[in-house]
Amino acid sequence: MQWTKPKSVRQIGDVPGRGKIYMEDYVVRFAKQLAEGGQGMEKAAVLLGNTFLYNQEKIYQVSGIVEIPNFASRTSPALSQDIWNRIYTEIKENFTDLEIIGWFYSCRGFSVKDASRLLEIHKQNFQHRDKVLYLYEETEKEDSFFLYRTGQFEKQRGYYIYYEKNPEMLHYMEKEANRHVHIVEQEDDRVIRNIRGIMEEKEKSRQKHKRKENRIGYSLGVMVGLIAILIGAAALKNQNTLNQVKEQLQSLQELAMGGPANSNTTMVETMGSNLVRVTAPPESSAAATGVPASFSATSASAAPVAPAASGAGAVPASQSPVAK
């Protein structure tokens, strides 16, 4: 196949002889977007295009790219047959007259120490000679090309980016973008469902907590009411007890003072035949003056009766002189 040099070309770095690499602009864009979308994880893709011999130089023209699915989760350097089947299906559905001429790899923090690992992957999956490796380091935003020759990688000092119509690559990019948007929408729906589920669980928990609080509040109200009743009953009982105590204290006070409160009143009682009996309280003023607590007289002006002498010499009451 005869090679036609692209009309719009931009050179990146120094490009000596032996081999020249031309990368279509859409391919470069997709590769970098794929790397940045990986957020530091390993990403890989197969490079599609054609090789030409032009003026005794090997030309690698890359015009397509297809992502290697689940590359970061591989279990060995050799890709599984299932992965290859998916790669070939994508190539058949999106590109025509293109072959695999190399692969793309990206990982954050890539170093020279990883070169041996990449070389093993290259040997296991791209064993044919003159396959290219396109590396992109996400952190430094730097890319570089390697050619596989005599069992080793040879780093290229530069390459070309060319610009021309590439409807197949543009269609593939749009399809992948829509697929990514669909995946993002599905992820968003899943996140929204999870958030909605969390909110529903919180609402159920809140309602349950509210019902529990209502029950506790009702129980507390009942308890407060019962306590009020008990306090009222206790207060009433205490009042009765207090009244009883007051009555007992008053009785004790009366006893201490010599009887009931009305015992201090002098009692005058008519006994008939113009006789009266006067009863004075104990320890009264009458007792203090020598007047017996009880005596008889014919009238209120009658003179007091002389106390009878004890013994045989006593004078009978009927013979005692009476004051006129």
Side-chain angles (χ1 to χ4, degrees):
M1 183 184 297
Q2 188 176 1
W3 179 64
T4 302
K5 185 178 181 178
K7 295 180 180 180
S8 180
V9 177
R10 180 164 64 97
Q11 182 175 327
I12 306 297
D14 184 23
V15 185
R18 289 194 65 187
K20 294 181 180 179
I21 302 170
Y22 288 80
M23 287 275 289
E24 202 275 319
D25 179 57
Y26 285 153
V27 177
V28 177
R29 291 186 187 183
F30 183 85
K32 292 182 178 181
Q33 290 175 2
L34 183 64
E36 293 171 358
Q39 298 180 349
M41 294 180 59
E42 287 185 308
K43 285 291 184 177
V46 294
L47 300 176
L48 308 175
N50 300 104
T51 57
F52 304 91
L53 189 61
Y54 181 77
N55 294 335
Q56 303 302 315
E57 288 183 341
K58 187 74 171 285
I59 304 296
Y60 301 86
Q61 184 170 341
V62 183
S63 56
I65 185 172
V66 169
E67 181 181 1
I68 299 176
N70 303 323
F71 182 80
S73 60
R74 68 191 184 282
T75 57
S76 67
L79 301 178
S80 67
Q81 188 60 48
D82 178 66
I83 291 177
W84 278 114
N85 290 338
R86 294 172 64 179
I87 291 172
Y88 286 126
T89 299
E90 288 292 325
I91 294 173
K92 183 178 180 181
E93 291 180 353
N94 297 280
F95 301 95
T96 57
D97 299 329
L98 298 180
E99 60 182 14
I100 298 174
I101 61 175
W103 64 298
F104 164 77
Y105 176 84
S106 174
C107 183
R108 185 177 298 172
F110 175 80
S111 64
V112 179
K113 296 180 180 179
D114 298 319
S116 59
R117 181 169 53 87
L118 297 182
L119 183 60
E120 184 64 26
I121 295 174
H122 190 94
K123 289 179 179 180
Q124 292 289 334
N125 300 282
F126 309 97
Q127 65 271 27
H128 298 294
R129 293 183 60 187
D130 298 336
K131 291 292 190 292
V132 301
L133 170 61
Y134 178 38
L135 286 181
Y136 180 76
E137 208 291 309
E138 183 185 349
T139 304
E140 301 296 332
K141 310 295 182 184
E142 294 180 355
D143 57 0
S144 55
F145 273 94
F146 295 83
L147 288 176
Y148 178 75
R149 289 177 177 156
T150 63
Q152 297 295 328
F153 283 132
E154 292 183 5
K155 185 176 181 179
Q156 304 302 295
R157 290 184 288 179
Y159 65 99
Y160 297 98
I161 296 178
Y162 73 96
Y163 305 87
E164 65 179 19
K165 292 182 180 180
N166 190 351
E168 290 182 340
M169 187 62 210
L170 181 61
H171 177 265
Y172 177 73
M173 291 176 67
E174 291 175 348
K175 187 181 75 171
E176 288 297 299
N178 292 333
R179 183 176 68 85
H180 178 71
V181 170
H182 182 64
I183 291 174
V184 171
E185 288 177 348
Q186 288 181 336
E187 183 68 15
D188 290 343
D189 290 341
R190 184 182 66 83
V191 172
I192 291 173
R193 288 196 299 271
N194 289 342
I195 293 174
R196 186 181 294 115
I198 292 172
M199 292 178 66
E200 290 177 354
E201 289 297 326
K202 286 186 176 180
E203 180 64 20
K204 290 180 180 178
S205 178
R206 189 182 69 82
Q207 293 294 339
K208 183 178 180 181
H209 185 66
K210 185 176 180 180
R211 290 194 296 269
K212 184 177 180 180
E213 286 182 344
N214 290 338
R215 290 196 298 269
I216 293 174
Y218 176 77
S219 300
L220 288 175
V222 173
M223 291 179 64
V224 169
L226 291 175
I227 291 171
I229 294 173
L230 292 174
I231 291 174
L236 182 60
K237 183 177 180 181
N238 289 340
Q239 184 63 37
N240 294 334
T241 304
L242 182 61
N243 293 335
Q244 293 176 3
V245 170
K246 286 183 177 179
E247 291 177 358
Q248 292 176 3
L249 290 175
Q250 185 176 2
S251 299
L252 292 174
Q253 183 179 9
E254 292 173 353
L255 290 174
M257 295 180 66
N262 58 2
S263 63
N264 292 328
T265 305
T266 301
M267 300 298 295
V268 179
E269 181 180 359
T270 302
M271 301 183 65
S273 302
N274 295 324
L275 294 176
V276 296
R277 185 176 64 186
V278 178
T279 303
E283 306 298 328
S284 63
S285 58
T289 56
V291 180
S294 178
F295 69 94
S296 298
T298 57
S299 65
S301 60
V305 180
S310 60
V315 180
S318 56
Q319 296 178 8
S320 61
V322 177
K324 295 191 187 271

